[in-house]
């Protein structure tokens, strides 16, 4: 594997091999912490990020690499420089991998065709966010042993979510049943073709879930109004304490972040006993260490 552009096309064994490798990258694990000694990994973020960027940086640094952090703000993008010129110029400074986030679907794929170093997709438009899906699957696998036969319910703005798309592909490949739930205007047409079931109403499906992944309204990716109001969305699709009490015993609450507290997820649930949200973040470093090790 040279690039990590998406989960699409991955076989179960390949995902499992990556997750097995990530186990060795957990704190105290057997993986070497110097595989990237003397190398540079470049974070190339055309879009904002908190978790993904810091997590890739932590992963690279704890493998011995130096990290170059490039962000669109303050760059020559404002002077009209293109995506390809930007990535080619960053590559010319010598990194072994470019970790790219971009608002356009397919941007890392385009970059990968024009550079020699590894390209890792850190989120492209509404398309894919493969490292997020791998860390989510890793978190559930560590909790459950395996995803086979488990029901994962993804709730919210599915239409604009690259996290949802990558997670559906990843969790289906690992044997889970995946149900997506949200307002009809925020469910992509034909999403069932990815092997997922669709639910318009949250309350009837909630008690079936072994894990519920809440997604925020990604208004920055919405070109028109998809929902009457945030309050209405929250009332129908928000995971509040009363709804969470209807979940199966032991069922987990996930969120890729950033949380819009009180909208898709109530603070008491986000910080409650079912939540594995910070576990997802911690596991993200081990998973990204494994990704860097495999790609570079
Ligand atoms: C997500 C993203 O950027 O796609 N966040 C993340 O990387 N953990 C989800 C989002 O923006 O809502």
């Amino acid at each position: 594997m040279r690039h990590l552009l998406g989960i699409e096309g991955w076989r179960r064994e390949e995902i499992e091999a990556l997750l097995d490798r990530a186990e060795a990258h957990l704190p105290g694990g057997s993986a070497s912490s110097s595989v990237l000694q003397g190398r540079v990994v470049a974070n190339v973020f055309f879009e904002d990020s908190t978790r993904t960027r810091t997590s890739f940086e932590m992963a690279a640094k704890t493998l011995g690499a130096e990290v170059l952090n490039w962000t669109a703000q303050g760059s020559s993008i404002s002077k009209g420089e293109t995506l390809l010129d930007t990535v080619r110029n960053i590559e010319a400074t010598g990194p072994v991998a470019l970790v790219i986030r971009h608002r356009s679907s397919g941007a890392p794929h385009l970059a990968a065709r024009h550079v020699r170093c590894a390209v890792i997709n850190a989120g492209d438009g509404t398309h894919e966010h493969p490292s997020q899906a791998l860390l989510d699957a890793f978190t559930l696998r560590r909790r459950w042993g395996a995803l086979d036969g488990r029901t994962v319910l993804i709730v919210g703005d599915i239409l604009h979510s690259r996290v949802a798309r990558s997670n559906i592909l990843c969790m289906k490949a690992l044997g889970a049943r995946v149900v997506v739930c949200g307002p009809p205007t925020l469910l992509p047409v034909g999403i069932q073709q990815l092997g997922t079931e669709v639910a318009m109403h949250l309350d009837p499906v909630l008690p079936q879930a072994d894990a519920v992944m809440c997604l925020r309204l990604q208004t920055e990716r919405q070109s028109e109004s998809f929902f009457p109001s945030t309050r209405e969305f929250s009332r129908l699709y928000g995971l509040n304490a009363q709804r969470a009490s209807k979940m199966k015993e032991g069922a987990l609450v996930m969120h890729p972040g950033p949380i819009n507290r009180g909208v898709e997820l109530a603070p008491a649930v986000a910080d409650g006993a079912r939540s594995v949200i910070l576990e997802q973040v911690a596991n993200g470093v081990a998973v990204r260490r494994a990704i860097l090790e495999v790609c570079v």
Side-chain angles (χ1 to χ4, degrees), residues 181-209:
C181 177
T185 48
L186 292 175
L187 293 170
V189 175
I191 186 89
Q192 294 93 333
Q193 281 159 19
L194 297 180
T196 177
E197 293 165 46
V198 175
M200 306 282 183
H201 302 288
L202 178 56
D203 292 313
V205 285
L206 193 59
Q208 300 172 18

Short mmCIF file of all heavy atoms in Angstrom, two decimals, residues 181-209:
data_model
loop_
_atom_site.label_atom_id
_atom_site.label_comp_id
_atom_site.label_asym_id
_atom_site.label_seq_id
_atom_site.Cartn_x
_atom_site.Cartn_y
_atom_site.Cartn_z
N CYS A 181 -29.65 6.86 9.83
CA CYS A 181 -30.91 7.49 10.20
C CYS A 181 -30.74 9.01 10.16
O CYS A 181 -29.76 9.54 10.67
CB CYS A 181 -31.28 7.04 11.62
SG CYS A 181 -32.77 7.82 12.24
N GLY A 182 -31.69 9.67 9.54
CA GLY A 182 -31.63 11.13 9.49
C GLY A 182 -32.82 11.65 8.73
O GLY A 182 -33.62 10.88 8.19
N PRO A 183 -32.96 12.99 8.67
CA PRO A 183 -34.04 13.56 7.89
C PRO A 183 -33.89 13.16 6.42
O PRO A 183 -32.75 13.09 5.92
CB PRO A 183 -33.86 15.07 8.05
CG PRO A 183 -32.67 15.28 8.89
CD PRO A 183 -32.09 13.99 9.30
N PRO A 184 -34.99 12.89 5.73
CA PRO A 184 -34.91 12.42 4.34
C PRO A 184 -34.03 13.30 3.46
O PRO A 184 -33.33 12.81 2.58
CB PRO A 184 -36.36 12.46 3.87
CG PRO A 184 -37.18 12.37 5.12
CD PRO A 184 -36.37 12.97 6.22
N THR A 185 -34.03 14.62 3.72
CA THR A 185 -33.22 15.52 2.88
C THR A 185 -31.73 15.38 3.15
O THR A 185 -30.90 15.88 2.39
CB THR A 185 -33.60 16.99 3.16
OG1 THR A 185 -33.62 17.19 4.58
CG2 THR A 185 -34.95 17.34 2.57
N LEU A 186 -31.36 14.72 4.24
CA LEU A 186 -29.94 14.55 4.57
C LEU A 186 -29.49 13.10 4.43
O LEU A 186 -28.47 12.69 4.99
CB LEU A 186 -29.67 15.08 5.99
CG LEU A 186 -29.80 16.60 6.14
CD1 LEU A 186 -29.63 17.03 7.58
CD2 LEU A 186 -28.79 17.34 5.25
N LEU A 187 -30.28 12.31 3.69
CA LEU A 187 -29.89 10.93 3.38
C LEU A 187 -29.58 10.85 1.88
O LEU A 187 -30.44 11.20 1.07
CB LEU A 187 -31.04 9.97 3.71
CG LEU A 187 -31.40 9.83 5.19
CD1 LEU A 187 -32.71 9.05 5.35
CD2 LEU A 187 -30.28 9.13 5.96
N PRO A 188 -28.36 10.46 1.49
CA PRO A 188 -28.04 10.42 0.07
C PRO A 188 -28.91 9.41 -0.68
O PRO A 188 -29.16 8.31 -0.18
CB PRO A 188 -26.58 9.98 0.03
CG PRO A 188 -26.10 9.97 1.42
CD PRO A 188 -27.26 9.99 2.34
N VAL A 189 -29.35 9.79 -1.86
CA VAL A 189 -30.12 8.88 -2.71
C VAL A 189 -29.24 7.67 -3.05
O VAL A 189 -28.07 7.84 -3.40
CB VAL A 189 -30.56 9.60 -4.01
CG1 VAL A 189 -31.27 8.65 -4.96
CG2 VAL A 189 -31.44 10.79 -3.68
N GLY A 190 -29.77 6.46 -2.89
CA GLY A 190 -29.02 5.26 -3.27
C GLY A 190 -28.01 4.79 -2.25
O GLY A 190 -27.19 3.93 -2.54
N ILE A 191 -28.07 5.34 -1.03
CA ILE A 191 -27.10 4.96 0.01
C ILE A 191 -27.18 3.46 0.31
O ILE A 191 -26.19 2.84 0.70
CB ILE A 191 -27.31 5.82 1.29
CG1 ILE A 191 -26.22 5.56 2.37
CG2 ILE A 191 -28.68 5.61 1.94
CD1 ILE A 191 -25.04 6.42 2.26
N GLN A 192 -28.37 2.86 0.06
CA GLN A 192 -28.54 1.41 0.31
C GLN A 192 -27.57 0.58 -0.51
O GLN A 192 -27.25 -0.55 -0.14
CB GLN A 192 -29.98 0.96 -0.02
CG GLN A 192 -31.04 1.54 0.87
CD GLN A 192 -31.64 2.83 0.30
OE1 GLN A 192 -30.99 3.55 -0.45
NE2 GLN A 192 -32.88 3.12 0.68
N GLN A 193 -27.12 1.15 -1.64
CA GLN A 193 -26.18 0.39 -2.48
C GLN A 193 -24.86 0.10 -1.77
O GLN A 193 -24.10 -0.76 -2.18
CB GLN A 193 -25.91 1.15 -3.79
CG GLN A 193 -27.05 0.98 -4.78
CD GLN A 193 -27.10 2.06 -5.85
OE1 GLN A 193 -26.10 2.75 -6.08
NE2 GLN A 193 -28.24 2.22 -6.48
N LEU A 194 -24.58 0.84 -0.69
CA LEU A 194 -23.37 0.56 0.08
C LEU A 194 -23.62 -0.57 1.08
O LEU A 194 -22.75 -0.91 1.88
CB LEU A 194 -22.90 1.82 0.83
CG LEU A 194 -22.48 3.02 -0.02
CD1 LEU A 194 -22.04 4.17 0.86
CD2 LEU A 194 -21.34 2.65 -0.98
N GLY A 195 -24.84 -1.09 1.08
CA GLY A 195 -25.14 -2.23 1.96
C GLY A 195 -25.75 -1.80 3.29
O GLY A 195 -25.84 -2.60 4.22
N THR A 196 -26.17 -0.54 3.37
CA THR A 196 -26.73 -0.06 4.63
C THR A 196 -28.25 -0.04 4.58
O THR A 196 -28.85 0.04 3.52
CB THR A 196 -26.18 1.35 4.94
OG1 THR A 196 -26.78 1.83 6.13
CG2 THR A 196 -26.48 2.34 3.83
N GLU A 197 -28.87 -0.12 5.74
CA GLU A 197 -30.32 0.06 5.83
C GLU A 197 -30.59 1.53 6.16
O GLU A 197 -29.73 2.21 6.70
CB GLU A 197 -30.90 -0.82 6.94
CG GLU A 197 -30.79 -2.31 6.62
CD GLU A 197 -31.01 -3.18 7.85
OE1 GLU A 197 -31.97 -2.93 8.59
OE2 GLU A 197 -30.21 -4.09 8.06
N VAL A 198 -31.80 1.98 5.83
CA VAL A 198 -32.13 3.39 6.05
C VAL A 198 -33.34 3.50 6.97
O VAL A 198 -34.34 2.79 6.78
CB VAL A 198 -32.43 4.08 4.70
CG1 VAL A 198 -32.91 5.51 4.90
CG2 VAL A 198 -31.19 4.07 3.81
N ALA A 199 -33.26 4.37 7.96
CA ALA A 199 -34.39 4.63 8.85
C ALA A 199 -34.66 6.13 8.89
O ALA A 199 -33.73 6.92 9.03
CB ALA A 199 -34.08 4.10 10.26
N MET A 200 -35.90 6.52 8.74
CA MET A 200 -36.26 7.94 8.79
C MET A 200 -36.50 8.40 10.24
O MET A 200 -36.39 9.57 10.54
CB MET A 200 -37.56 8.20 8.00
CG MET A 200 -37.54 7.70 6.59
SD MET A 200 -36.62 8.78 5.52
CE MET A 200 -36.86 7.98 3.95
N HIS A 201 -36.88 7.46 11.10
CA HIS A 201 -37.21 7.83 12.48
C HIS A 201 -36.24 7.17 13.44
O HIS A 201 -35.96 5.97 13.32
CB HIS A 201 -38.65 7.44 12.80
CG HIS A 201 -39.63 8.07 11.85
ND1 HIS A 201 -39.94 9.42 11.90
CD2 HIS A 201 -40.33 7.55 10.81
CE1 HIS A 201 -40.81 9.69 10.93
NE2 HIS A 201 -41.05 8.58 10.25
N LEU A 202 -35.76 7.94 14.39
CA LEU A 202 -34.73 7.43 15.30
C LEU A 202 -35.29 6.51 16.38
O LEU A 202 -34.71 5.45 16.65
CB LEU A 202 -34.01 8.64 15.94
CG LEU A 202 -32.92 8.34 16.98
CD1 LEU A 202 -31.85 7.42 16.40
CD2 LEU A 202 -32.27 9.64 17.48
N ASP A 203 -36.40 6.89 16.98
CA ASP A 203 -36.86 6.16 18.17
C ASP A 203 -37.10 4.65 17.95
O ASP A 203 -36.70 3.86 18.79
CB ASP A 203 -38.09 6.85 18.77
CG ASP A 203 -37.69 8.21 19.36
OD1 ASP A 203 -36.66 8.24 20.09
OD2 ASP A 203 -38.35 9.21 19.07
N PRO A 204 -37.69 4.24 16.80
CA PRO A 204 -37.90 2.79 16.64
C PRO A 204 -36.60 1.97 16.47
O PRO A 204 -36.56 0.81 16.86
CB PRO A 204 -38.74 2.70 15.34
CG PRO A 204 -39.25 4.07 15.08
CD PRO A 204 -38.31 5.02 15.72
N VAL A 205 -35.54 2.59 15.89
CA VAL A 205 -34.31 1.80 15.63
C VAL A 205 -33.30 1.89 16.77
O VAL A 205 -32.44 1.02 16.91
CB VAL A 205 -33.60 2.21 14.30
CG1 VAL A 205 -34.36 1.68 13.11
CG2 VAL A 205 -33.38 3.70 14.19
N LEU A 206 -33.42 2.93 17.56
CA LEU A 206 -32.42 3.16 18.63
C LEU A 206 -32.21 1.94 19.54
O LEU A 206 -31.07 1.57 19.81
CB LEU A 206 -32.83 4.40 19.44
CG LEU A 206 -31.79 4.98 20.37
CD1 LEU A 206 -30.54 5.41 19.64
CD2 LEU A 206 -32.38 6.17 21.14
N PRO A 207 -33.29 1.26 19.97
CA PRO A 207 -33.09 0.11 20.88
C PRO A 207 -32.40 -1.09 20.22
O PRO A 207 -31.97 -2.00 20.91
CB PRO A 207 -34.51 -0.27 21.31
CG PRO A 207 -35.36 0.91 20.97
CD PRO A 207 -34.72 1.55 19.79
N GLN A 208 -32.27 -1.08 18.88
CA GLN A 208 -31.60 -2.20 18.19
C GLN A 208 -30.09 -2.04 18.16
O GLN A 208 -29.36 -3.00 17.88
CB GLN A 208 -32.08 -2.29 16.73
CG GLN A 208 -33.56 -2.52 16.56
CD GLN A 208 -33.98 -2.40 15.10
OE1 GLN A 208 -33.15 -2.46 14.18
NE2 GLN A 208 -35.26 -2.21 14.88
N ALA A 209 -29.62 -0.82 18.40
CA ALA A 209 -28.20 -0.52 18.14
C ALA A 209 -27.26 -1.00 19.24
O ALA A 209 -27.55 -0.86 20.42
CB ALA A 209 -28.04 0.99 17.95
#
